[in-house]
Each structure stands twice: as C-alpha cells, then as structure tokens.
C-alpha cells in the first residue's frame, strides 16, 4: 500500500477543504486519508468524494458521495480517516475529496505553496477551504493545500 504525504505544515484551519487526488498511469484505490486539526477536542469529519475533481463539482452537492465518517481526536497529530470502502480512481483521472466538519474551523490546511505533490502513481493537487458549518456553503476562491497524506 502506498502513502503520499504532502509535507506541508498545517498553518490554518477551516470547516472544510476540497482538493483533488490524480491517478498516474494506472488505476488507484484510495483506502484512507490522514488529516489533522488544531482544535483541543474531538472533531467529527465527513469525507466526500466525486469523480472529475472538486472544481467541476463544487456547486453540485448531489454529485458527491459520502465515502467515510471519522474523528480527529488529537490536536496537531495526523489521524487516519478510513473510507467505508476503497474509492477507485481510473488512470489519469481526478478524484475530488471534501473533508468537512460542522464542529468549527478545525480541518487543517496549508497557506503557502500550492504546487502539486507527486508520488509514485498519484498526485495531490491544490484545493480551497469552505467556511460554513453547512457543507457546500461559503466555498473559498483562494488556492490552499492539504496538509496530510
């Protein structure tokens, strides 16, 4: 099993964050993500996914599927957020990922370098934060980056 860490420090947090995972020359199965928070309590996180990437689907909540639900329980520590079942990304295709919590501005992300991170067979691309306790509301327009794996 392969893991691609972005190597980006979490510098801010928001209610949610949308970004893309792009498969290389072979199909890819995504089993889990590792994310973190800067809150002091338990953060409930819902992971949603969509084929085609977040930008093409950000205004269409009905096209996204809930892929998993989990909790981040330690401040500043990467926590595994397992998906209910692996999500397949076909070769050279994009998977939009949306991590969201109604609990506050607690999904960690990186303000700064938004260039893609490439690994063996996959890449993680830039995204944007969401600033509402309600999913798919107050979607940002600025480039930010996932600080996980």
């Amino acid at each position: 099993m392969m893991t691609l860490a972005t190597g980006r420090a979490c510098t801010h947090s928001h209610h949610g964050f949308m970004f893309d995972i792009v498969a290389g020359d072979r199909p890819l199965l995504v089993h889990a993500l590792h994310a973190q928070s800067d809150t002091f309590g338990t953060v409930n996180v819902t992971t949603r996914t969509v084929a085609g990437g977040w930008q093409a689907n950000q205004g269409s909540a009905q096209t996204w599927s809930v892929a998993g639900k989990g909790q981040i329980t330690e401040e500043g520590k990467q926590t595994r957020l397992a998906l209910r079942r692996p999500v397949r990304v076909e070769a050279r295709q994009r998977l939009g990922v949306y991590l969201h919590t109604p609990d506050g501005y607690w999904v960690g992300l990186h303000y700064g370098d938004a260039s893609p991170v490439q690994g063996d067979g996959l890449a993680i691309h830039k995204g944007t934060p969401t600033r509402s306790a309600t999913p798919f509301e107050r979607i940002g327009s600025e480039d930010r980056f996932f600080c996980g794996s």
Side-chain angles (χ1 to χ4, degrees), residues 36-103:
Q36 74 183 59
S37 173
D38 64 359
T39 186
F40 295 101
T42 298
V43 178
N44 297 297
V45 178
T46 299
T47 303
R48 293 176 174 83
T49 60
V50 65
W54 73 268
Q55 287 179 306
N57 295 283
Q58 64 181 315
S60 305
Q62 68 277 9
T63 62
W64 294 75
S65 299
V66 173
K69 293 186 178 195
Q71 293 182 327
I72 298 173
T73 57
E74 285 190 56
E75 174 191 3
K77 183 178 178 186
Q78 295 282 319
T79 301
R80 187 174 194 270
L81 298 172
L83 304 183
R84 292 177 178 160
R85 60 186 153 289
V87 176
R88 184 178 175 93
V89 187
E90 296 299 331
R92 294 174 296 287
Q93 298 300 307
R94 288 181 178 268
L95 176 71
V97 178
Y98 182 24
L99 302 175
H100 182 267
T101 179
D103 299 333

Side-chain angles (χ1 to χ4, degrees), residues 2 20-30 87-95 118-125:
M2 168 182 21
D20 284 344
I21 296 173
V22 181
D25 293 333
R26 299 186 314 253
L28 173 70
L29 286 177
V30 179
V87 176
R88 184 178 175 93
V89 187
E90 296 299 331
R92 294 174 296 287
Q93 298 300 307
R94 288 181 178 268
L95 176 71
Q118 306 274 342
D120 182 29
L122 75 145
I124 298 175
H125 285 250

Side-chain angles (χ1 to χ4, degrees), residues 11-28:
T11 57
H12 290 76
S13 293
H14 289 283
H15 274 289
F17 187 62
M18 296 179 176
F19 65 99
D20 284 344
I21 296 173
V22 181
D25 293 333
R26 299 186 314 253
L28 173 70

